[in-house]
Amino acid sequence: MKTCTHCDIRFTGDLDRCPLCGNALSGTATPSHFPTNTLPVPKRKASTLIGVITVLVMLMTFAGGSLCTPKLVGTWC
């Protein structure tokens, strides 16, 4: 266990400094009793696919709108 000589408190885990006073800890590190907090990484496949489809639909709408204009008689394309 690591010990803070100023606060006289013992710590487990891989700490270098005392969280209370900031002084360097002395002693050897011991494993923490608590598991490490690992957050799951969200998968971006669905959001990427939706974004690509949205851009393609917007491009097709723009291209279709510029190619298909009203004629003199009032018909389209």
Side-chain angles (χ1 to χ4, degrees):
M1 281 194 158
K2 289 192 170 186
T3 305
C4 176
T5 56
H6 182 262
C7 300
D8 197 27
I9 297 176
R10 294 177 295 173
F11 295 98
T12 59
D14 192 23
L15 295 173
D16 294 327
R17 299 213 168 262
C18 175
L20 301 175
C21 67
N23 287 335
L25 298 176
S26 61
T28 58
T30 57
S32 177
H33 298 291
F34 302 105
T36 57
N37 187 10
T38 56
L39 299 174
V41 177
K43 300 196 181 213
R44 297 180 185 233
K45 290 181 182 178
S47 61
T48 303
L49 181 63
I50 291 172
V52 168
I53 290 173
T54 302
V55 169
L56 287 175
V57 168
M58 290 172 63
L59 288 174
M60 289 174 26
T61 302
F62 177 73
S66 63
L67 294 176
C68 190
T69 57
K71 296 185 179 181
L72 295 175
V73 181
T75 61
W76 290 82
C77 298

